[in-house]
Amino acid sequence: MNLFEEGLKFNLSELVELLIQVGLKVLVLLIGYAIVKPLGRKAIETAINRLSTQRKLSEGRNKTLQKLSVNIFSYALIFILVMMLFSAVGIEIGPLLAGAGIVGLAIGFGAQGLVSDIVTGFFILLERQVEVDDYVTAGGYDGIVEEVGIRTTRIRSFDGTLNFIPNRNISGVANHSRGNMRALVDIGIGYDENIDEAMAVLQKVALDFQQDERFKEGPDVLGVQSLGSSDVVIRILGKTENMEQWAVERDLRKAMKEALDAAGIEIPFPHQVYVHKNEE
Amino acid sequence: MNLFEEGLKFNLSELVELLIQVGLKVLVLLIGYAIVKPLGRKAIETAINRLSTQRKLSEGRNKTLQKLSVNIFSYALIFILVMMLFSAVGIEIGPLLAGAGIVGLAIGFGAQGLVSDIVTGFFILLERQVEVDDYVTAGGYDGIVEEVGIRTTRIRSFDGTLNFIPNRNISGVANHSRGNMRALVDIGIGYDENIDEAMAVLQKVALDFQQDERFKEGPDVLGVQSLGSSDVVIRILGKTENMEQWAVERDLRKAMKEALDAAGIEIPFPHQVYVHKNEE
Amino acid sequence: MNLFEEGLKFNLSELVELLIQVGLKVLVLLIGYAIVKPLGRKAIETAINRLSTQRKLSEGRNKTLQKLSVNIFSYALIFILVMMLFSAVGIEIGPLLAGAGIVGLAIGFGAQGLVSDIVTGFFILLERQVEVDDYVTAGGYDGIVEEVGIRTTRIRSFDGTLNFIPNRNISGVANHSRGNMRALVDIGIGYDENIDEAMAVLQKVALDFQQDERFKEGPDVLGVQSLGSSDVVIRILGKTENMEQWAVERDLRKAMKEALDAAGIEIPFPHQVYVHKNEE
Amino acid sequence: MNLFEEGLKFNLSELVELLIQVGLKVLVLLIGYAIVKPLGRKAIETAINRLSTQRKLSEGRNKTLQKLSVNIFSYALIFILVMMLFSAVGIEIGPLLAGAGIVGLAIGFGAQGLVSDIVTGFFILLERQVEVDDYVTAGGYDGIVEEVGIRTTRIRSFDGTLNFIPNRNISGVANHSRGNMRALVDIGIGYDENIDEAMAVLQKVALDFQQDERFKEGPDVLGVQSLGSSDVVIRILGKTENMEQWAVERDLRKAMKEALDAAGIEIPFPHQVYVHKNEE
Amino acid sequence: MNLFEEGLKFNLSELVELLIQVGLKVLVLLIGYAIVKPLGRKAIETAINRLSTQRKLSEGRNKTLQKLSVNIFSYALIFILVMMLFSAVGIEIGPLLAGAGIVGLAIGFGAQGLVSDIVTGFFILLERQVEVDDYVTAGGYDGIVEEVGIRTTRIRSFDGTLNFIPNRNISGVANHSRGNMRALVDIGIGYDENIDEAMAVLQKVALDFQQDERFKEGPDVLGVQSLGSSDVVIRILGKTENMEQWAVERDLRKAMKEALDAAGIEIPFPHQVYVHKNEE
Amino acid sequence: MNLFEEGLKFNLSELVELLIQVGLKVLVLLIGYAIVKPLGRKAIETAINRLSTQRKLSEGRNKTLQKLSVNIFSYALIFILVMMLFSAVGIEIGPLLAGAGIVGLAIGFGAQGLVSDIVTGFFILLERQVEVDDYVTAGGYDGIVEEVGIRTTRIRSFDGTLNFIPNRNISGVANHSRGNMRALVDIGIGYDENIDEAMAVLQKVALDFQQDERFKEGPDVLGVQSLGSSDVVIRILGKTENMEQWAVERDLRKAMKEALDAAGIEIPFPHQVYVHKNEE
Amino acid sequence: MNLFEEGLKFNLSELVELLIQVGLKVLVLLIGYAIVKPLGRKAIETAINRLSTQRKLSEGRNKTLQKLSVNIFSYALIFILVMMLFSAVGIEIGPLLAGAGIVGLAIGFGAQGLVSDIVTGFFILLERQVEVDDYVTAGGYDGIVEEVGIRTTRIRSFDGTLNFIPNRNISGVANHSRGNMRALVDIGIGYDENIDEAMAVLQKVALDFQQDERFKEGPDVLGVQSLGSSDVVIRILGKTENMEQWAVERDLRKAMKEALDAAGIEIPFPHQVYVHKNEE
């Protein structure tokens, strides 16, 4: 196991043999390294290129993912090479490994969050779950994405706050910028009103809005959504262009309120029946 | 343990013997690999095929599961083969293993979520818990499934949001697209009304709806569900075609409200008894 | 430790001896395997049979549990046999074991949920905590059990949804189908009413219901459950056949409301005392 | 390390010696086992007997705990014996151990819940935290204990549901069947009433109830518990026999309400002062 | 490594030498044990004695802690001694250790709660966080401590329930029996009342109570705690003897209500301003 | 493995050879150390310098990060060097390593929080998530940052409290000091008012405020945000300078209330419809 | 590996050599220990002294931290020394280490809370997060700190309760005793009042309070904080001496209420608009 001592039992000629052996081992290792490194690199790059084309990733994102993967691969390879070289020249690497192991474990306990950030970040990028300028809800924050990093994602809230979210906290992304959104208005009419009449009035407003090019589908009056404690709630629903849903809902609400007023249909305040009784 | 040095104690003829031995070991390993790989592959494919037929999985899903399982098996097999070859030619694999182990552990801490995603995803696919276009509630999100991946499931919410849910977060799936759904309407009548009369009126509406082909069973009036603070609540229940429950409930509510109005039965506002007392 | 090299130090006759030794070891191992396998299998089957009879498990469930247990035992035994054979013929199994270990650990981190599902599932089956068609609450879901699997349990909710629950999430089962259920009605009377009189009226209704064969015990009037802000709450309690509790409660509520109306006892609306004061 | 090969270097007479050695080792191990097993068994039984007497456990529970402990001890002992026998006859047990270790670890990850159930169950039995027929709150469930098992506890809820609770979920037991219970009634009187007078009326009722044999202590009027928004709340408190607290509270409430009515003391409805103002 | 075989290479005289060596090792180990055990025991007892005097622990608690510590120390020592003896007489202890290790780990996963209970219990006893008869809030339970064990603490709730709390669940103890408690009464007066006058009336009552020996400090009127929606809230605060705070607060409330009544200062009901408007 | 004993088999001349070997090993290790240390240091400093320039970190923060990284690197290096020296001079380092390992693991379990603090702190500093004097919400606290440490962050709350937050608890930072903030005022008008008129009045106020240099964008009237139970809610939105949003909102509210008063548009109190009914 | 047996192969003179070797090793280890111990101790003390001066820790706290650190260092050192001595005299320490390891791991699982307490306690002391007599909120408790220990912190709540909080539960400290505190009073005026006039009246009161030496800054009237459902809320804010904020707020509230009364400005009760409608 220890080649210096053993070597000393023989004479110089044997020492030479020994040196040749060590040299050969080192050579083999270096050649192995020289072969494995570019091969592995190529393999990783090809794999990520293939994924990129499949998922139509942008060139920039493709490069980011390649660089990250190649870096991790290189560090692991160099670590192993050094270990094997040490071992080949007869230096015991036990202590070194153990040292690295203890430090690694100690950090591992604390830094698992970091690795978790990177793994999650890798997939957020790869699966294009969020893009810069998407409006998303993730990790309890809500806003426009300003940057998607490998460790943190930055989201600008509606009120102007900039949120830094470690990727590991993103346990599910609700992306509000992928396709048309629904606009939904619930409006309550009095219990004494004729439901058919009210629905006709509202449907007429809805028909006007169907011309509005912000609407992709509808809006339409669905029917009696609930029998509230003081009103009969009628639901109107439509599909709008992305990010237009709020403006459209505001316009719908105003138009419907004015149409019901014009038709003399009541939007009731809360009602209560009072039963009078004198102090006993 | 180290065959180079030992070999140098003998002359060339012994070296040859040694080479033959090493060659033999390598050969045995390669033959073993060549035998085990296709056998294992076959075994996995057969097992998954059998499961697929049992559970009536689609051809596409069957292929996905086979590919995933065979991939994992291949990587593990190659890893072991390489280790054993190194060991057979006399290169110490301790460092390599330790290096792989430390990297593996470090990643394992952070990436257990990833493995967990894949294991859960495997069973979601295998047990057909969700299919594309099912309406489900899973991981706190609610909507139509757009894609069931091995790592993430994509659900389109009602408001148009696209949700990306890591499979590990799916700790239970409520699939609303497997069979008929129940339509349930609770309607409150005044405390002064005759309950039998009201139930008769409502049952008549229910009978009309039983002709409606969206109903698979009922609807029927069940009875007095609760004695509320201002009303006696009567429950109507039926079974409808899948996804028709909301439309049907809206129609039921409208019809029942109109029937009670026609019969002069009050749907009461909240009541309160006022006891008058003058300022002391 | 490595028998090829050592063997080469001696001549052929010694090689033969060596081969005999290896052969003997292999033989011993195979004989051991041939003995242990059926014995272990028998032992497991007997143990589960005994448990089945004790707990009156159905034949089908008995078979399921036996198959699962024997499978796990067989895989473990084969794994050990292969390892020992490799070792006996002088192939170093360190790398193989380490490879299996690392893969195992990596998966273990992510797949502990899966093992946990199976262990929990095993006991749910063995202890008959749920049976198909039981009405249960488990893992946050509520409904009729459609299938109890070794990994997932399927529960059909009242509204028609089919829920897939990984067994590990079932941290306690509330089984509503094991024995008679209680029907409980709370009814509030006015503060001005005579409590004894009201209780007599209600007890009379209760006596009528005692003839109802759906009732196994009672119902009976218990007394004044609470002094509410506007009413004196009286509780009626009884035991009914399983799954009949809701229908019975609905009938009780209707009958008691009508009895109190007939006796002229008020079920009061919320009260409030108004103290008048003029704007200062 | 491997005794077969070494043995072949010598002649038959040495083989005999070797066999004797192995035989001796096996003998020593078997003798050791034969000594340790009954001793350990005895020690465990004595220990549990002593605990049983100390804690006055029933004979049946004593036997259950002894059987469980002796079983675990026996399995561990046999496992170790087998390992040492294999080792003594020169079969490498590394693979076997490693196999057992990997399987053990894999299961350990998933089955820690099971061990946790058993450990908790052991102490629930030993410390007599719950007995069959106790009324307890544990693990979020509430009811009468039907069975205390080593893995699960079964509790029958008030409404008739049978709950299966894995012992590990019992992170604290509230046992309502250990000693007398308190009956507590809060009753509100009007702000205009004389507090002393009201307390005297209530105390008179309390005195009557002190004769009731269900009361072990009290009941007594404590005083003004709070100044509510519409009433002055007076508290009455007493100690009753176990499980009689609800019946006693119902009787107390009825009697006190009737006593206050008789004395003309108001139990007020919620009050509100109305300040009138005309529309500006 | 294996002394039997090696020994057989030499003749009897060498065997004798060997036996002497083994005997010597065993002797050394036993002597070491005989020295270390009482020393360690002494050291532990002294350490705990010192801690006891420092923290004024009762004699009984001192003994409990010593016994526990010495027991753990003895078991660990004997385990190590046995291992070393086996090793000294040449029996491979690898299997034994591995067996113990696997069992230990398996149990460790499940039983960490138990160790956690004991460690926490040790410090609860040592730091005198709770004593029998203290009134405490711990682990979500609230009541009088009946027993502080090394694994569970028993707390008797106010309503008579006996709660068993595993010590690990006690993540913080609120001990209500360590020193004087504060009595606090908030009383609301009308917005029209003169605040200075009301505070004078209340302070007079407070002065009377300062004679009450249950009060250690105060009570005093602090001032206007808040401007409520219908009343101006005035706070009175004092320090009372332990466990007298509730009785004192009840007496304070009654006296203050009567004093305000006597002074003609209003404790107002909730107010609301009514703006009249006729149906449009 | 142990060079002292082996050495004694030979004579002095061999001892000398041995010493030379040991000396050589030590020399090689020291030279290796002397080369690796400055190289590693340089590499770390360069890496952090590059990061600093990229992210425009201040010189002080740059130094802090360099010092931290170099320290960790140095300690790990020295630990490994010492281990390898011990091993080179023939002292078994197993015990030392094992000792360090056990202590390390024991601490690791408890101290993972500490490492986690440092890793998170490192990235908070590096990514400039918070700066001193930023107004942030992090870890459940809210206020002005007073110090960003490698282990704790200090935040001064609005009420004057100084909060110490371990960095690991900062699972996401909401930084309110990065860019302009939005000012948002919702104002409710009566159902009888003309919405267009009210929006015109409010837009006029908004136009005045657009001159206010604290506004960076807007404010503008958006439209009907919701149809409340008693009022029609209109939303006004604008972008202000950082930290000016509250003052601006206060001014906007006052101006808009006064403008609506001036225009005779009602900001309604809660409405309720009273249906009169006489005691039955 | 085992020096006794090897030694017996040689004669006495070799034994002497052996003894000398062992003696030398022991000597080297003891000398190493004698050198390392005071050096390490010195290093730790210097490090903590430096930290103490930097952070201005009191002398007592300095000593506490030094003692703790030196103790941990000493125990680790002695453990390692003993291990190396055993190894030097040829006693296998494997069993001992394994024994310690298993016990250590078993305890580690359960006792990680304890280590976590100490690590957190160390930093609470070192960073002076809390001092005795500070008013803090930590771990869900709120009060005056009575003792900061290395394992538990004791906090006296306002009501007199003494809380024992394990340091690990202190996941963030809100220290209310570090600097001036803010006093904040919100006061609502009627919708009909002139806002400017009301703010002038309140500002006048604020000006009077600015003379009050308990105020360090302000108080000042900020403006219209919100438009409530019945009142316009005006906010007054100032900075006061630590712990004076509550008294100051009470005085401010009283003065402002009286000033508004004097100026005839209404603090309104909740308003509601009543729309009358007759029973249909």
Side-chain angles (χ1 to χ4, degrees), chain A residues 1 3 10 17-18 21 25 28 55 76 79-80 83-84 87 93 97 100-101 105 108-109 112 115-116 119 123 127-129 171-176 178-182 184 191-193 195-196 199 222-227 229-230 232 235 237 271-280, chain B residues 1-2 4-5 8-9 86 90-96 98-100 102-103 105-112 114 141 151-152 154 156-166 168-169 185-187 246 249-251 253-254 257-258 261 266-277:
Chain A
M1 197 170 283
L3 99 192
F10 315 97
E17 282 186 57
L18 221 159
Q21 284 171 32
K25 281 193 188 175
V28 168
R55 294 169 191 263
F79 179 76
I80 292 169
M83 289 298 103
M84 295 182 87
S87 158
I93 59 160
L97 268 179
L105 209 67
F109 271 115
Q112 58 186 100
V115 180
S116 187
V119 172
F123 283 101
E127 302 186 347
R128 294 177 61 214
Q129 298 186 3
S171 69
V173 173
N175 193 324
H176 311 294
R178 297 283 166 87
N180 297 329
M181 298 298 284
R182 273 210 177 77
L184 182 156
Y191 259 92
D192 299 336
E193 307 295 339
I195 298 176
D196 289 319
M199 280 172 67
L222 288 191
V224 177
Q225 187 59 25
S226 71
L227 298 172
S229 69
S230 307
V232 173
R235 172 161 289 183
L237 191 71
H271 278 58
Q272 191 151 31
V273 177
Y274 276 52
V275 185
H276 291 272
K277 195 163 147 186
N278 286 310
E279 174 74 326
E280 68 276 43
Chain B
M1 196 169 283
N2 193 311
F4 282 88
E5 300 157 33
L8 281 165
K9 287 179 194 153
F86 272 43
I91 293 172
E92 279 189 54
I93 59 161
L96 214 153
I102 289 173
V103 168
L105 208 67
I107 291 192
F109 270 115
Q112 58 186 99
L114 180 60
Y141 296 93
R151 207 194 77 84
T152 28
R154 298 178 188 196
R156 176 77 64 178
S157 291
F158 178 72
D159 71 349
T161 299
L162 184 58
N163 303 292
F164 297 79
I165 310 163
R168 97 198 78 149
N169 288 359
V185 173
D186 276 350
I187 209 157
W246 301 293
E249 282 180 12
R250 272 192 295 261
D251 293 351
R253 260 183 236 114
K254 182 158 172 289
K257 199 253 169 191
E258 287 169 350
D261 279 358
E266 185 196 9
I267 302 176
F269 296 119
H271 278 59
Q272 190 151 32
V273 177
Y274 276 53
V275 185
H276 292 272
K277 195 164 147 186

Side-chain angles (χ1 to χ4, degrees), chain D residues 16-268:
Chain D
V16 170
E17 282 186 56
L18 220 159
L19 282 178
I20 293 172
Q21 284 171 32
V22 170
L24 275 173
K25 280 191 186 177
V26 169
L27 204 71
V28 166
L29 285 172
L30 289 177
I31 291 172
Y33 175 74
I35 294 171
V36 169
K37 200 186 160 175
L39 279 186
R41 194 188 179 129
K42 199 78 208 167
I44 290 170
E45 286 176 0
T46 314
I48 291 186
N49 271 333
R50 209 163 353 135
L51 274 171
S52 290
T53 343
Q54 257 179 43
R55 295 169 190 261
K56 303 183 187 101
L57 295 189
S58 66
E59 188 58 19
R61 188 159 285 191
N62 186 354
K63 287 277 171 248
T64 309
L65 291 180
Q66 279 184 22
K67 206 170 129 194
L68 181 79
S69 308
V70 169
N71 269 357
I72 291 174
F73 172 72
S74 304
Y75 287 131
L77 210 63
I78 286 173
F79 178 76
I80 292 170
L81 178 71
V82 169
M83 290 296 105
M84 294 181 87
L85 285 176
F86 273 44
S87 159
V89 299
I91 293 172
E92 279 189 55
I93 60 160
L96 213 153
L97 269 179
I102 289 174
V103 169
L105 210 67
I107 291 191
F109 270 116
Q112 59 186 97
L114 180 59
V115 181
S116 187
D117 280 345
I118 292 171
V119 173
T120 311
F122 187 91
F123 284 101
I124 289 176
L125 287 169
L126 185 66
E127 302 186 347
R128 292 178 62 215
Q129 298 187 2
V130 297
E131 305 269 6
V132 169
D133 286 333
D134 278 3
Y135 168 52
V136 305
T137 303
Y141 296 93
D142 193 288
I144 302 297
V145 177
E146 295 219 334
E147 192 186 315
V148 193
I150 199 70
R151 208 194 76 86
T152 28
T153 295
R154 299 179 188 195
I155 292 181
R156 175 78 63 178
S157 292
F158 177 73
D159 71 348
T161 300
L162 183 59
N163 304 291
F164 297 77
I165 310 163
N167 287 333
R168 100 199 77 149
N169 287 359
I170 300 181
S171 69
V173 173
N175 193 324
H176 311 294
S177 301
R178 297 283 166 88
N180 298 329
M181 299 298 284
R182 273 210 178 78
L184 182 157
V185 173
D186 276 350
I187 209 158
I189 59 164
Y191 259 93
D192 299 337
E193 308 294 340
N194 184 308
I195 298 176
D196 288 320
E197 195 189 315
M199 280 170 68
V201 170
L202 293 173
Q203 184 61 41
K204 203 156 141 281
V205 179
L207 282 175
D208 292 348
F209 271 91
Q210 289 180 11
Q211 317 312 332
D212 190 331
E213 61 177 8
R214 293 175 305 181
F215 268 104
K216 293 294 162 199
E217 216 184 288
D220 281 296
V221 175
L222 288 190
V224 177
Q225 186 60 23
S226 71
L227 298 171
S229 70
S230 306
D231 53 0
V232 174
V233 179
I234 292 175
R235 171 163 290 182
I236 295 95
L237 192 71
K239 255 192 187 157
T240 73
E241 266 183 20
N242 199 277
M243 300 301 275
E244 292 292 340
Q245 62 268 35
W246 302 292
V248 153
E249 281 180 12
R250 273 192 294 260
D251 293 351
L252 256 180
R253 259 183 236 113
K254 180 156 174 288
M256 298 216 156
K257 199 254 169 190
E258 287 169 351
L260 288 176
D261 279 359
I265 295 170
E266 186 196 9
I267 302 177

Side-chain angles (χ1 to χ4, degrees), chain G residues 69-183:
Chain G
S69 308
V70 169
N71 270 355
I72 291 174
F73 173 71
S74 303
Y75 287 130
L77 211 62
I78 286 173
F79 179 77
I80 291 168
L81 177 71
V82 169
M83 290 296 104
M84 295 181 87
L85 285 177
F86 272 44
S87 160
V89 300
I91 293 173
E92 278 190 56
I93 59 161
L96 213 153
L97 269 179
I102 289 173
V103 168
L105 209 68
I107 291 192
F109 271 114
Q112 58 187 99
L114 180 59
V115 181
S116 187
D117 281 345
I118 292 172
V119 173
T120 311
F122 187 90
F123 284 101
I124 289 176
L125 287 169
L126 186 67
E127 301 186 347
R128 293 176 62 214
Q129 297 186 3
V130 297
E131 305 268 7
V132 169
D133 286 332
D134 278 3
Y135 169 51
V136 305
T137 304
Y141 296 93
D142 193 289
I144 302 296
V145 177
E146 293 219 333
E147 193 186 315
V148 192
I150 200 70
R151 207 194 77 85
T152 29
T153 296
R154 298 179 189 197
I155 292 181
R156 175 77 64 178
S157 291
F158 178 74
D159 71 349
T161 300
L162 183 59
N163 304 291
F164 297 80
I165 310 163
N167 287 332
R168 99 199 76 148
N169 287 0
I170 300 180
S171 68
V173 173
N175 192 324
H176 311 294
S177 301
R178 296 283 166 88
N180 298 327
M181 298 298 284
R182 274 210 178 79

Side-chain angles (χ1 to χ4, degrees), chain A residues 62-98:
Chain A
N62 186 355
K63 288 278 171 244
T64 309
L65 292 179
Q66 279 184 21
K67 206 169 127 195
L68 181 80
S69 309
V70 169
N71 269 357
I72 291 173
F73 173 71
S74 304
Y75 287 131
L77 210 62
I78 286 173
F79 179 76
I80 292 169
L81 177 71
V82 170
M83 289 298 103
M84 295 182 87
L85 286 177
F86 273 43
S87 158
V89 300
I91 293 172
E92 278 189 55
I93 59 160
L96 213 153
L97 268 179

Side-chain angles (χ1 to χ4, degrees), chain C residues 1 3 10 17 21 25 28 55 76 79-80 83-84 87 93 97 100-101 105 108-109 112 115-116 119 123 127-129 171-176 178-182 184 191 193 195-196 199 222-227 229-230 232 235 237 271-280, chain D residues 1-2 4-5 8-9 86 90-96 98-100 102-103 105-107 109-112 114 141 151-152 154 156-166 168-169 185-187 249-251 253-254 257-258 261 266-277:
Chain C
M1 196 169 283
L3 102 190
F10 314 97
E17 282 185 56
Q21 284 170 32
K25 281 191 186 177
V28 167
R55 295 171 191 261
F79 178 76
I80 291 169
M83 289 296 104
M84 295 182 86
S87 160
I93 59 162
L97 269 179
L105 209 67
F109 270 116
Q112 58 186 99
V115 180
S116 187
V119 173
F123 284 100
E127 301 186 348
R128 292 177 61 214
Q129 298 187 1
S171 68
V173 173
N175 193 324
H176 310 295
R178 297 283 167 89
N180 297 329
M181 299 297 285
R182 273 211 177 78
L184 182 157
Y191 259 93
E193 307 295 339
I195 298 176
D196 289 319
M199 280 170 68
L222 289 191
V224 177
Q225 186 61 23
S226 71
L227 297 171
S229 70
S230 307
V232 174
R235 172 163 290 183
L237 191 71
H271 278 58
Q272 192 151 31
V273 177
Y274 276 52
V275 185
H276 292 271
K277 197 165 146 185
N278 286 308
E279 173 75 323
E280 65 276 40
Chain D
M1 197 169 282
N2 194 312
F4 281 88
E5 302 157 31
L8 281 163
K9 287 180 192 153
F86 273 44
I91 293 172
E92 279 189 55
I93 60 160
L96 213 153
I102 289 174
V103 169
L105 210 67
I107 291 191
F109 270 116
Q112 59 186 97
L114 180 59
Y141 296 93
R151 208 194 76 86
T152 28
R154 299 179 188 195
R156 175 78 63 178
S157 292
F158 177 73
D159 71 348
T161 300
L162 183 59
N163 304 291
F164 297 77
I165 310 163
R168 100 199 77 149
N169 287 359
V185 173
D186 276 350
I187 209 158
E249 281 180 12
R250 273 192 294 260
D251 293 351
R253 259 183 236 113
K254 180 156 174 288
K257 199 254 169 190
E258 287 169 351
D261 279 359
E266 186 196 9
I267 302 177
F269 297 119
H271 279 58
Q272 191 152 30
V273 177
Y274 277 50
V275 185
H276 292 272
K277 197 163 147 185

